[in-house]
Amino acid sequence: MAAQATEADQIKQFKEFLGTYNKLTENCFMDCVKDFTTREVKSDESTCSESCLQKYLKMTQRISMRFQEYHIQQNEALAQKAGLIGPR
């Protein structure tokens, strides 16, 4: 049963990853690719795409850090209420 739950969790995480990847790809493509008259990717389109991806990655990292900080603060507050640690 635990193996099934783990496999189901992995499939769910992979689907979420694919959804995020597809959304990111679509957003960056729509924002950056403007010229469809040639098969070549122009340098400004390439630069825009790279910047778009970097901005997304930095934003995701920052949100993750803030979420961790918030989670730590909530755990400390709960511990203080329970009397496990003293106030800061």
Side-chain angles (χ1 to χ4, degrees):
M1 175 110 172
Q4 289 176 335
T6 302
E7 186 175 337
D9 289 341
Q10 288 176 345
I11 291 171
K12 181 181 175 186
Q13 286 178 341
F14 188 66
K15 284 182 180 180
E16 289 173 359
F17 166 76
L18 287 178
T20 302
Y21 175 80
N22 288 336
K23 191 181 302 182
L24 172 64
T25 302
E26 182 178 356
N27 287 339
C28 290
F29 181 85
M30 297 300 282
D31 287 347
C32 297
V33 179
K34 304 294 182 201
D35 184 10
F36 295 98
T37 61
T38 179
R39 299 182 106 177
E40 301 296 320
V41 177
K42 294 189 174 187
S43 65
D44 59 329
E45 293 173 332
S46 181
T47 302
C48 177
S49 297
E50 290 173 15
S51 296
C52 181
L53 177 60
Q54 287 297 322
K55 187 175 184 177
Y56 175 80
L57 292 174
K58 287 179 182 179
M59 180 221 29
T60 303
Q61 183 181 26
R62 183 169 181 160
I63 289 172
S64 178
M65 288 173 48
R66 295 296 178 246
F67 179 76
Q68 288 175 346
E69 290 171 1
Y70 174 78
H71 198 61
I72 289 170
Q73 289 173 350
Q74 292 301 312
N75 286 341
E76 287 176 352
L78 288 173
Q80 285 178 357
K81 284 183 181 178
L84 299 175
I85 60 174
R88 284 186 166 194

